[in-house]
Amino acid sequence: MSGRGEKLPLIVISHGFTGSLYGHHDTAEALADHGFLVVSLNHTGDSGASMKYPWEMRAFEQRPVEIRRVIDYMLDEAPEASRIDPSRIGVFGFSRGGFTALVAAGGTPDFARSGLRCPKDRPLCRQIETEAGIARDWAHDERINAAAAVDPLNAFPDAASLRRIRIPLFLWISERGGDGVEPAAEARLRGWLPTVRNYRVVPKAGHFAFLAPCVEAAAKEAPEICRDAPGFDRAAFHRTMNAELLDFFDQALDIKP
């Protein structure tokens, strides 16, 4: 999805567990309509299109690598490459995608020390336990100038693990959480990230409220993803969130009207 004109700011969107490049289509459309060039991807082996190894550590390790590769491609090989301003690059991520955005921006996760609850019958959890002392080489990308993380999976144990993040951040979390994302763990991120410019705990929101509002067919097929708490209007919430995201990226990337 692309805006019009030259020297366009670039936003890369990272989906959550079992998600896809379509999961945040309304946010992508809002950004593109505003003048951003927007790229959304399916993460290899960790998306609804390819569930090869979602419960292995490599699913998490590869995510920020793929963000870096997308940026490489967009700046060097994409048909739109000459229209992109390389000094104005942002990333938006939800859930595992929010984790991805924070890692790409400079965060260094440590699953073993994070206190993240993980069922022992999953390969990832056994791997965390057996490889606790192994230092991993997480991919960061200094070309990213701003990051938005909504309900990010918090696999960061302390402020030191996030100290390399020096860019403006947008951090919104749900009041109710869900799907392994716990509001108390998310709230700790706020105190560890001094560069947060826009922070909100969204009242009545569950974890999946950050996904695009569901059409009727999707609501019947996946009610657990589409159903919100009584009194919570997902469509209205997204209008508010998308407007604030536009304002955040405009300011963080120094976009002139």
Side-chain angles (χ1 to χ4, degrees), residues 10-244:
L10 172 67
I11 306 294
V12 182
I13 295 179
S14 176
H15 63 75
F17 175 61
T18 73
S20 78
L21 57 86
Y22 301 111
H24 305 280
H25 64 83
D26 67 310
T27 297
E29 290 165 8
L31 288 162
D33 288 345
H34 192 66
F36 293 89
L37 195 151
V38 184
V39 178
S40 188
L41 71 153
N42 286 332
H43 284 288
T44 305
D46 186 25
S47 76
S50 175
M51 295 287 286
K52 290 182 180 178
Y53 44 80
W55 286 112
E56 297 180 34
M57 186 60 73
R58 61 175 165 164
F60 292 90
E61 290 178 315
Q62 282 300 306
R63 280 172 158 268
V65 172
E66 291 176 341
I67 297 297
R68 188 166 62 190
R69 288 174 178 167
V70 166
I71 295 173
D72 286 343
Y73 172 77
M74 293 306 299
L75 293 181
D76 298 332
E77 301 178 43
E80 301 88 352
S82 64
R83 300 171 57 208
I84 298 171
D85 185 344
S87 69
R88 293 189 171 102
I89 297 176
V91 61
F92 168 90
F94 160 69
S95 194
R96 287 192 185 195
F99 161 90
T100 305
L102 292 174
V103 174
T108 303
D110 186 331
F111 284 77
R113 294 197 303 116
S114 69
L116 190 68
R117 284 195 262 183
C118 199
K120 291 291 192 290
D121 61 338
R122 289 176 175 165
L124 172 67
C125 305
R126 294 195 296 271
Q127 191 174 3
I128 290 171
E129 189 173 19
T130 58
E131 301 180 8
I134 297 176
R136 299 182 180 278
D137 185 19
W138 294 93
H140 311 305
D141 196 324
E142 294 183 355
R143 295 170 297 183
I144 296 172
N145 310 112
V150 295
D151 247 15
L153 180 72
N154 184 4
F156 305 94
D158 49 34
S161 64
L162 297 160
R163 62 182 175 79
R164 291 182 58 184
I165 299 180
R166 301 183 179 92
I167 61 174
L169 295 174
F170 178 105
L171 177 64
W172 282 25
I173 63 177
S174 63
E175 182 181 56
R176 300 189 175 199
D179 199 37
V181 171
E182 302 176 1
E186 304 304 288
R188 288 197 292 272
L189 287 169
R190 176 65 185 94
W192 298 339
L193 291 165
T195 61
V196 171
R197 291 191 181 178
N198 190 319
Y199 173 74
R200 183 174 301 185
V201 178
V202 184
K204 296 184 179 180
H207 183 56
F208 297 118
F210 290 102
L211 293 173
C214 296
V215 298
E216 186 176 349
K220 290 180 179 178
E221 185 177 331
E224 70 282 359
I225 291 176
C226 297
R227 185 183 298 121
D228 295 303
F232 184 84
D233 186 333
R234 189 182 298 196
F237 163 60
H238 274 247
R239 287 192 293 272
T240 297
M241 180 184 72
N242 290 340
E244 296 219 22

